[in-house]
């Protein structure tokens, strides 16, 4: 019988039960209720998965983040958190994740090229590691008590080190010997308990590796093969192994998982290189997207594997953890039937694996089901709305001038300085203000038909005026309307564009309790009518200060949606860029002369192989510039980016040709500004001076210090002052004092510039 398994499962629950339990705990501190919910979710997910998978994954569940869990497991905890962990381990854990009244949280950044955020471990020379509470073993024992065959999931030692940062600038790989002692002890404890297999996630094997890292892989897995240990599955994903294939195939492990969705071309070389005894875990269904797999693509791969190796040492699995897809597509009864037939969420992907395994085992009924699936997927090509000639014609008709502004940045800066007469260090926010219970209830009532359009609009107008008056009162220089009408920065736009569909329960975890519900791009994209002009015009009518129009950029809409897989992503992005270009010009014609086109996902979309990055950056930058192209010199284009490293793409960031960029930088204490030391960015920059993802309210003194650090890198005329990100997820109790302190800090530093 062909073996089926998976690398990880969605944590948040069918109805976001984990999110609600976390936020309740953060409110009332009831740890028992939180841990009970966590246990119930783990066990429920194992039982669901075991209906299709012979082996369930354990230790893939996390209360916040699996990289943070690994740091805690290995005692890689910065000293500032240790008193909190000692007094209350749960409170200490969340202090690392979110910060608290006294402590900053750990840095957070994107998990490879996904929209999942992980907490960055902090290490230092002489770091000691040890096994603390053995969460992987405890969860394996929990699953075994339910009668389930389970495999603990661990972040592998090399990926752990490469994903960490050293606070003293040392090379994290120098800590490998000390780290391996802890991993060896962990494996010993698992082996003594009777654990048969353990999974080492090493996604860094899909990246370009220097010689030191390649040697570290060899050393690490040779050492871990010596002592007591379960059998070891080495899991790679998010791309092909490329020139690391021979390295991975020679490591002393008992199984190797490979991504055959993103890199099916590696199969022949893999079959030649993989030792005969080694299990091949074939990632054949897409763990990153929501479309059903095409049996016409998958079955030939499986036939080739079976002919080469048989099925005794073959496991079928998704390409990566199912963390990145929603829970269950059968809940989406409001979607059109044809679209539903094309979708597979986490549960359906496991069911697909069961069908492929059954076909390999000779089940003709399973083969017929997959034939029917192929027919349904083939029908997508001719379904109404999937391909629209007028949209494609507009893309093909793009002129060479489409990505360009009327004048260069230097000229625009002079024109804009005369137009706006802003003070040095102008203050603003990123866009959204807190989404109150009143707003959420009004939105729900409007959608349910309990209040009409006029009543809903009255609520929104009242909130916009309240936000405008608040910003005027505290002295912000450039205002925003607060986005009370928006449920999500991508979903809001997708709801007004053709080619999109929306789920009710298609939530995925972005970080901690933050869940997003990505739209589905299923057809060609166009804009039937203006999307934001009405609210921006109203907000600007309330004040003499400039109010920014707020848009989500084409690359971010692409990245934060589940994108159709039948055309190149570049083509979808160009369609989005043209739709947003129309909106930009309509905003400008309505008198909105500052327009922010957010691109927080620009870095996220960067392929993890260097050989593929230039092509991506070329079309991503072009799409942004098309969206902003052709407007007047006096109209100022802002963009925003967050939770990404920019050093390796700084030239592409400059090529966006935005007048002002704002970036996340407070958790790193302005460390991201190092990118601008060697590269003199020509525009203005707003490095975030406080972390909106933490509930703590920073002091004026903290923000003053950060602004002074920023001025050591940037010219005063370049520097804008703003939070790290939008304020949607914060409450007014935190937002008001934090923004007051931010404005006061800017004014204090501004005064020193005037005196000088």
């Amino acid at each position: 019988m062909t073996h089926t398994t998976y690398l990880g499962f969605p944590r948040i629950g069918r109805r976001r039960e984990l999110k609600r339990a976390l936020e309740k705990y953060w409110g009332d501190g009831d740890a028992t209720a939180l841990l009970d919910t966590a246990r119930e979710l783990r066990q429920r997910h194992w039982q669901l998965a075991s209906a299709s998978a012979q082996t369930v994954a354990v230790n893939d569940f996390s209360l916040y983040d699996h990289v943070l869990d690994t740091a805690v497991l290995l005692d890689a905890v910065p000293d500032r958190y240790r008193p909190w962990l000692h007094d209350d381990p749960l409170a200490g854990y969340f202090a690392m994740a979110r910060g608290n009244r006294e402590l900053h949280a750990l840095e957070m950044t994107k998990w490879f090229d996904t929209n999942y955020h992980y907490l960055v471990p902090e290490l230092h020379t002489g770091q000691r590691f040890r096994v603390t509470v053995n969460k992987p073993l405890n969860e394996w024992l929990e699953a075994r008590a339910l009668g389930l065959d389970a495999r603990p999931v661990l972040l592998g030692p090399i990926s752990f080190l490469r994903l960490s940062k050293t606070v003293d600038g040392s090379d994290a790989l120098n800590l490998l010997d000390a780290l391996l002692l802890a991993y060896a002890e962990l494996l010993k404890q698992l082996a003594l308990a009777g654990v048969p297999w353990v999974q080492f996630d090493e996604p860094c094997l899909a990246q370009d590796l220097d010689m030191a890292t390649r040697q570290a892989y060899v050393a690490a897995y040779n050492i871990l093969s010596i002592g007591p240990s379960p059998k070891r599955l080495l899991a790679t994903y998010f791309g092909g192994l490329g020139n690391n294939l021979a390295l991975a195939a020679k490591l002393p492990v008992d199984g190797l998982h490979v991504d055959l969705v993103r890199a099916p071309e590696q199969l022949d070389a893999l079959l030649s290189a993989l030792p005969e005894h080694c299990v091949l875990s074939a990632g054949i269904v897409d763990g990153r997207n929501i479309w059903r797999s095409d049996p016409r693509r998958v079955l030939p791969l499986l036939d080739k594997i079976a002919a080469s190796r048989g099925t005794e040492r073959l496991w079928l699995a998704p390409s990566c953890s199912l963390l990145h897809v929603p829970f269950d597509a059968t809940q989406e009864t409001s979607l059109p039937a044809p679209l539903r037939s094309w979708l597979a969420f986490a549960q359906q992907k496991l069911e697909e694996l069961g069908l492929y395994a059954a076909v390999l085992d000779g089940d003709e009924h399973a083969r017929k089901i997959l034939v029917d699936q192929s027919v349904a997927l083939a029908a997508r090509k001719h379904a109404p709305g999937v391909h629209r000639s007028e949209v494609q014609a507009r893309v093909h008709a793009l002129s060479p001038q489409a990505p360009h502004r009327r004048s260069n940045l230097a000229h625009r800066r002079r024109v804009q300085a005369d137009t706006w007469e802003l003070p040095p260090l102008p203050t603003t926010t990123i866009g959204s203000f807190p989404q109150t219970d009143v707003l959420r209830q009004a939105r729900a009532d409007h959608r349910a038909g309990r209040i009409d359009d006029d009543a809903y609009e009255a609520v929104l107008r009242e909130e916009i005026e309240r936000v405008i008056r608040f910003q005027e009162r505290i002295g912000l220089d450039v205002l925003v309307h607060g986005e009370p009408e928006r449920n999500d920065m991508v979903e809001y736009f997708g709801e007004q564009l053709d080619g999109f569909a929306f789920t009710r329960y298609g939530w995925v975890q972005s970080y901690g309790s933050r869940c997003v519900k990505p739209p589905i791009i299923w057809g060609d994209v166009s804009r039937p009518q203006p999307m934001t002009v009405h609210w921006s015009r109203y907000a600007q009518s309330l004040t003499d200060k400039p109010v920014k129009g707020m848009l989500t950029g084409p690359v971010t809409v692409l990245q934060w949606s589940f994108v159709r897989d039948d055309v190149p992503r570049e083509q979808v992005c160009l369609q989005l860029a043209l739709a947003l270009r129309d909106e930009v010009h309509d905003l400008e014609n309505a008198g909105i002369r500052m327009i922010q086109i957010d691109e927080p996902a620009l870095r996220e979309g960067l392929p993890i192989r260097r050989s593929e990055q230039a092509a991506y950056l070329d079309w991503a930058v072009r799409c942004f510039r098309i969206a902003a192209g052709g407007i007047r010199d006096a109209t100022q284009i802002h963009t925003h980016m967050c939770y990404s490293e920019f050093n390796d793409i700084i030239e592409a960031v400059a090529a966006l040709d935005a007048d002002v960029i704002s970036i996340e930088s407070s958790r790193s204490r302005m460390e991201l500004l190092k990118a601008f030391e060697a590269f003199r960015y020509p525009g203005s920059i707003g490095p975030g001076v406080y972390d909106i993802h933490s509930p703590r309210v920073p002091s004026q003194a903290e923000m003053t210090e950060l602004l002074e650090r920023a001025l050591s890198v940037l010219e005063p005329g370049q520097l804008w002052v703003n939070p790290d990100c939008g304020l949607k997820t914060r409450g007014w109790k935190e937002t008001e004092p934090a923004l007051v302190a931010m404005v006061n800090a800017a004014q204090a530093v501004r005064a020193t510039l005037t005196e000088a």
Side-chain angles (χ1 to χ4, degrees):
M1 183 175 181
T2 305
H3 191 85
T4 57
T5 187
Y6 61 98
L7 307 189
F9 200 74
R11 305 162 181 161
I12 59 176
R14 185 185 297 272
R15 297 294 176 90
R16 292 183 294 163
E17 295 93 333
L18 179 60
K19 170 186 173 65
R20 295 185 177 90
L22 283 169
E23 292 174 355
K24 182 177 183 297
Y25 166 77
W26 294 333
D28 64 19
D30 187 347
T32 300
L34 173 60
L35 296 177
D36 285 347
T37 298
R39 183 177 60 256
E40 290 167 8
L41 287 173
R42 285 195 303 271
Q43 295 184 4
R44 186 187 310 161
H45 296 169
W46 294 335
Q47 297 285 10
L48 285 169
S50 67
S52 300
Q54 280 80 47
T55 303
V56 300
V58 300
N59 198 46
D60 60 323
F61 184 89
S62 175
L63 289 175
Y64 204 97
D65 167 53
H66 60 280
V67 182
L68 175 61
D69 291 354
T70 305
V72 173
L73 170 69
L74 300 171
D75 200 30
V77 174
D79 287 342
R80 64 185 181 274
Y81 300 109
R82 289 191 181 277
W84 292 85
L85 279 166
H86 179 269
D87 293 343
D88 183 341
L90 204 54
Y93 175 87
F94 288 120
M96 296 173 72
R98 307 173 70 237
N100 59 25
R101 296 183 309 276
E102 301 177 19
L103 297 173
H104 292 281
L106 290 172
E107 285 184 46
M108 186 163 63
T109 194
K110 297 292 180 72
W111 176 249
F112 296 86
D113 58 349
T114 77
N115 188 31
Y116 178 79
H117 303 63
Y118 76 92
L119 277 300
V120 182
E122 291 181 10
L123 308 176
H124 58 82
T125 300
Q127 180 90 42
R128 295 181 181 274
F129 303 95
R130 67 183 181 91
V131 178
T132 59
V133 176
N134 196 332
K135 179 176 178 285
L137 176 56
N138 291 341
E139 292 190 10
W140 181 81
L141 292 170
E142 189 179 322
R144 190 179 69 167
L146 298 174
L148 300 173
D149 182 16
R151 183 183 67 254
V153 178
L154 305 175
L155 180 59
I158 307 304
S159 290
F160 176 76
L161 291 175
R162 281 178 59 100
L163 295 169
S164 300
K165 64 173 286 186
T166 54
V167 295
D168 55 7
S170 59
D171 186 346
L173 286 180
N174 292 339
L175 300 172
L176 182 59
D177 289 344
L179 179 65
L180 291 177
L181 292 175
Y183 270 92
E185 175 59 27
L186 177 60
L187 292 178
K188 179 180 177 181
Q189 292 182 21
L190 294 174
L192 291 175
V195 175
W197 279 87
V198 64
Q199 174 181 319
F200 279 113
D201 280 3
E202 289 284 8
C204 288
L205 275 168
Q207 295 181 308
D208 300 300
L209 302 180
D210 57 28
M211 183 56 67
T213 305
R214 295 171 66 85
Q215 291 172 347
Y217 268 111
V218 174
Y221 283 91
N222 275 317
I223 289 171
L224 294 179
S225 69
I226 296 172
S229 172
K231 290 184 177 180
R232 297 169 303 282
L233 173 70
L234 184 68
T236 70
Y237 41 82
F238 297 155
L241 285 162
N243 58 359
N244 299 326
L245 190 148
L247 167 67
K250 290 179 180 178
L251 293 177
V253 294
D254 305 284
L256 179 64
H257 174 86
V258 293
D259 185 340
L260 294 178
V261 174
R262 284 197 165 186
E265 70 281 355
Q266 67 183 322
L267 181 58
D268 287 340
L270 187 68
L271 291 174
S272 298
L274 198 64
E276 189 67 22
H277 74 274
C278 201
V279 165
L280 172 59
S281 175
I284 56 170
V285 301
D286 193 349
R288 292 281 299 273
N289 212 334
I290 44 75
W291 306 105
R292 286 193 177 273
S293 62
D294 190 341
R296 293 168 298 181
R297 177 192 67 83
V298 175
L299 287 173
L301 293 176
L302 296 182
D303 289 340
K304 179 177 288 188
I305 297 171
S308 173
R309 298 174 58 86
T311 59
E312 289 184 2
R313 294 176 304 284
L314 172 63
W315 294 359
L316 304 186
S319 59
C320 61
S321 171
L322 297 172
L323 171 70
H324 309 288
V325 294
F327 204 93
D328 179 11
T330 64
Q331 300 182 101
E332 307 301 336
T333 55
S334 61
L335 291 176
L339 178 57
R340 287 205 311 273
S341 73
W342 307 334
L343 301 181
F345 293 176
Q347 280 192 236
Q348 288 71 47
K349 291 180 184 296
L350 293 180
E351 291 164 4
E352 284 187 296
L353 292 175
L355 289 171
Y356 285 118
V359 168
L360 286 179
D361 294 337
D363 187 330
E364 290 302 315
H365 178 65
R367 185 178 292 276
K368 182 181 184 307
I369 294 173
L370 290 175
V371 168
D372 292 342
Q373 182 165 309
S374 296
V375 172
L377 293 175
R380 280 176 65 186
K381 183 177 180 180
H382 305 291
V386 171
H387 298 288
R388 297 171 55 201
S389 58
E390 69 276 16
V391 174
Q392 295 168 15
R394 190 179 179 197
V395 170
H396 292 316
L398 279 167
S399 72
Q401 282 302 112
H404 296 286
R405 298 284 298 273
R406 299 183 185 185
S407 302
N408 63 33
L409 179 56
H411 177 76
R412 298 198 310 266
R413 287 188 70 178
R414 293 192 294 271
V415 172
Q416 291 164 15
D418 293 340
T419 301
W420 298 113
E421 297 183 348
L422 294 171
L425 279 60
T427 55
T428 188
T429 67
I430 301 304
S432 61
F433 269 78
Q435 290 267 320
T436 64
D437 291 340
V438 171
L439 284 174
R440 292 191 180 96
Q441 187 60 53
R443 186 179 299 119
D445 289 344
H446 183 243
R447 289 196 169 192
R450 292 186 290 268
I451 61 174
D452 61 18
D453 292 349
D454 290 343
Y456 183 51
E457 177 150 334
V459 172
L460 298 179
R461 281 175 171 267
E462 181 179 350
E463 180 65 13
I464 289 171
E465 182 164 10
R466 184 167 81 92
V467 167
I468 293 290
R469 299 296 172 238
F470 165 74
Q471 294 172 89
E472 288 179 325
R473 187 174 76 251
I474 68 171
L476 282 165
D477 300 306
V478 174
L479 313 187
V480 298
H481 79 289
E483 305 177 14
E485 78 284 8
R486 305 187 188 184
N487 48 1
D488 177 82
M489 65 180 292
V490 172
E491 187 173 9
Y492 175 78
F493 291 96
E495 287 176 338
Q496 301 181 78
L497 294 169
D498 290 337
F500 281 75
F502 301 88
T503 63
R504 288 190 64 193
Y505 305 108
W507 298 97
V508 295
Q509 184 183 30
S510 181
Y511 59 87
S513 69
R514 170 66 172 156
C515 301
V516 294
K517 188 155 59 67
I520 299 170
I521 304 178
W522 63 273
D524 285 344
V525 176
S526 64
R527 187 197 73 146
Q529 59 192 15
M531 301 179 287
T532 66
V533 174
H534 172 70
W535 295 116
S536 293
R537 183 192 285 124
Y538 172 66
Q540 186 64 79
S541 74
L542 299 172
T543 182
D544 293 331
K545 289 190 171 185
V547 178
K548 291 188 289 188
M550 304 300 303
L551 304 176
T552 303
V555 178
T556 297
V557 174
L558 182 86
Q559 283 295 125
W560 291 358
S561 299
F562 290 122
V563 185
R564 58 192 295 189
D565 60 355
D566 60 332
V567 298
R569 293 171 68 86
E570 176 185 357
Q571 293 301 308
V572 181
C573 202
L574 283 168
Q575 294 173 8
L576 288 164
L578 286 170
L580 290 166
R581 182 187 180 95
D582 293 342
E583 189 73 12
V584 167
H585 283 259
D586 282 346
L587 283 168
E588 183 182 62
N589 292 333
I592 307 302
R593 297 301 173 83
M594 287 189 183
I595 302 171
Q596 184 168 308
I597 307 173
D598 287 340
E599 284 292 18
L602 180 72
R603 177 63 175 77
E604 172 188 314
L606 190 70
I608 60 179
R609 287 285 185 176
R610 282 191 293 270
S611 60
E612 302 169 8
Q613 292 176 358
Y616 161 76
L617 289 171
D618 181 66
W619 63 254
V621 168
R622 180 170 177 249
C623 287
F624 179 92
R625 293 180 61 136
I626 287 170
I631 60 172
R632 303 179 186 100
D633 291 343
T635 299
Q636 191 172 76
I637 294 294
H638 293 235
T639 191
H640 170 66
M641 302 174 187
C642 57
Y643 293 101
S644 294
E645 298 289 343
F646 300 109
N647 303 54
D648 53 350
I649 64 163
I650 189 63
E651 292 184 2
V653 172
L656 294 174
D657 199 29
D659 300 298
V660 183
I661 64 169
S662 54
I663 59 173
E664 175 276 326
S665 58
S666 68
R667 282 201 182 192
S668 68
R669 311 299 291 165
M670 294 289 169
E671 189 175 296
L672 283 175
L673 286 181
K674 289 180 179 178
F676 300 98
E677 290 178 350
F679 182 89
R680 304 307 297 177
Y681 184 74
S684 297
I685 304 171
V689 294
Y690 83 88
D691 176 18
I692 69 88
H693 295 87
S694 171
R696 71 185 296 271
V697 176
S699 68
Q700 177 182 332
E702 288 179 53
M703 290 189 267
T704 299
E705 179 190 352
L706 291 178
L707 288 174
E708 290 169 348
R709 289 189 188 185
L711 284 170
S712 70
V713 178
L714 304 174
E715 298 295 327
Q718 283 186 290
L719 182 60
W720 282 60
V721 182
N722 46 258
D724 269 346
C725 202
L727 299 162
K728 171 185 173 182
T729 60
R730 298 269 59 90
W732 275 102
K733 282 186 176 181
E734 306 150 7
T735 296
E736 183 163 354
L739 287 181
V740 168
M742 185 190 83
V743 171
N744 290 341
Q747 291 174 347
V749 177
R750 189 182 296 160
T752 65
L753 297 176
T754 305
E755 292 167 3

